[in-house]
Amino acid sequence: MPFSKDGFLGKEAWGLASEIRERQKNLFALFYEVNRFTEQTIKEIRVSKSNPQELISACLFTRVLEGLQAAVILIERGLDLDATVILRGVYEALVYLRLSCEGKDFVGKYISKHDIDRLELLKKIRKDDPESKIYKIREYTSDESINQIISELEAKIKNEGIDIEKFKKDFSKRMLAEKAGMEELYKIYYYVTSDSAHTHPRVLERYVATDEKGNPLQLNHGPCGENARLSLITAVEFLLSAIAYISTLFGLNKDTKIKDFHEELVNKHGR
């Protein structure tokens, strides 16, 4: 079947992306090695049922791992722009993971975020969707119960002494990055990937083939590896950081192996 029939869903897509896999084979090999090390690390985690910090951190660690695995699958198939979008989401989870592993106080605030986000959503629905059709789909509840839930959430948040506006400010992406000591990464990576995540017009250049004068010739629809190297380096860095955070919390003693992987990344691939 030709690529033009099934696109990236067809078998030919894998073959067409072979050049990307060959060009970045050493980085792919490194990620797969770190990935196997990470899968083994997960088996060593022992979460105490009565410890929210351990549970939340372990879940965030798994979220980071699966997000990175998804990104690498996309890179292998030549969907590196979509991989960049996923990596941006992984970055957010990585910030949460670091803060969760380093402080119990953050975990309580992170859990409270669920109530605050839910309250904000319900108020928006009540304002923009009087018939509550959206909420019925999400929560399977009646119109009458929405006001009751809002009241209950407001009372709960007030009893916990939470100032919602201050909470939202403290939980902004930039503020959390600062608290996690990852502000530089926020500036460098989060801003850079913003165009891809929000489909900036510049991103559309990827889909147009041009002549020497920059005149459009045809649409590009097929595997692309322009960002593959950077995305793979980022994936390895993110995964090693995640292992370091979770290892410290659970006392897994992975520092030596993490250092070895990092030295290989720097010495052989120049970051």
Side-chain angles (χ1 to χ4, degrees):
M1 256 178 238
F3 180 84
S4 59
K5 183 174 182 178
D6 290 312
F8 284 98
L9 299 180
K11 294 180 180 179
E12 285 69 24
W14 182 256
L16 289 173
S18 61
E19 183 181 341
I20 298 170
R21 295 193 297 277
E22 178 62 26
R23 193 162 58 243
Q24 307 298 341
K25 64 180 180 181
N26 292 331
L27 271 172
F28 277 117
L30 177 58
F31 179 84
Y32 271 82
E33 189 176 356
V34 176
N35 179 71
R36 284 190 290 271
F37 174 64
T38 310
E39 291 288 354
Q40 181 58 46
T41 299
I42 283 183
K43 298 175 184 176
E44 299 175 29
I45 294 174
R46 299 290 180 269
V47 177
S48 171
K49 295 179 180 179
S50 60
N51 191 323
Q53 182 186 21
E54 291 184 353
L55 179 59
I56 293 294
S57 297
C59 289
L60 286 168
F61 180 64
T62 306
R63 169 72 182 93
V64 168
L65 172 60
E66 292 185 0
L68 292 175
Q69 290 173 342
V72 170
I73 289 172
L74 291 176
I75 297 169
E76 285 182 316
R77 291 183 172 273
L79 287 158
D80 67 349
L81 182 61
D82 302 275
T84 301
V85 176
I86 289 180
L87 286 171
R88 192 173 192 261
V90 171
Y91 159 79
E92 293 184 22
L94 190 65
V95 171
Y96 290 154
L97 174 62
R98 182 169 188 174
L99 291 169
S100 178
C101 287
E102 293 182 351
K104 294 180 180 179
D105 290 344
F106 172 78
V107 174
K109 294 177 181 177
Y110 181 69
I111 294 173
S112 295
K113 186 176 186 297
H114 169 71
D115 288 336
I116 292 173
D117 287 348
R118 190 177 179 211
L119 177 61
E120 294 287 300
L121 174 64
L122 286 172
K123 285 184 174 181
K124 182 173 178 57
I125 290 174
R126 185 171 62 180
K127 178 181 177 182
D128 299 340
D129 180 28
E131 295 183 7
S132 305
K133 294 178 181 178
I134 298 174
Y135 191 68
K136 287 178 183 177
I137 295 173
R138 278 182 58 102
E139 304 282 348
Y140 302 102
T141 190
S142 64
D143 298 341
E144 294 77 14
S145 66
I146 292 179
N147 287 331
Q148 179 182 347
I149 296 172
I150 288 175
S151 297
E152 290 173 353
L153 285 171
E154 287 177 331
K156 180 181 179 184
I157 292 168
K158 183 178 180 179
N159 288 337
E160 291 174 355
I162 297 174
D163 182 324
I164 293 180
E165 292 307 314
K166 183 178 184 303
F167 184 98
K168 288 163 63 177
K169 182 179 179 180
D170 291 343
F171 237 87
S172 69
K173 300 293 187 296
R174 181 157 193 161
M175 287 297 293
L176 291 178
E178 289 180 10
K179 291 178 182 177
M182 298 167 70
E183 187 178 9
E184 285 303 311
L185 182 59
Y186 172 85
K187 292 177 181 178
I188 295 170
Y189 189 76
Y190 205 70
Y191 281 157
V192 169
T193 56
S194 179
D195 287 352
S196 299
H198 300 294
T199 315
H200 188 277
R202 187 177 66 83
V203 173
L204 300 184
E205 295 174 2
R206 143 86 178 88
Y207 302 107
V208 182
T210 60
D211 60 20
E212 295 178 353
K213 296 182 179 180
N215 298 313
L217 295 174
Q218 63 183 28
L219 288 176
N220 272 336
H221 173 44
C224 178
E226 291 179 2
N227 302 313
R229 181 177 180 277
L230 176 60
S231 292
L232 284 167
I233 290 174
T234 301
V236 174
E237 288 270 22
F238 282 3
L239 196 48
L240 289 176
S241 295
I243 300 169
Y245 305 151
I246 206 74
S247 176
T248 298
L249 178 63
F250 287 95
L252 302 179
N253 300 316
K254 302 294 181 181
D255 291 354
T256 300
K257 191 64 176 176
I258 292 171
K259 182 180 178 181
D260 290 343
F261 279 132
H262 197 265
E263 288 181 353
E264 181 178 351
L265 178 66
V266 173
N267 296 333
K268 292 187 178 181
H269 305 287
R271 298 183 67 175

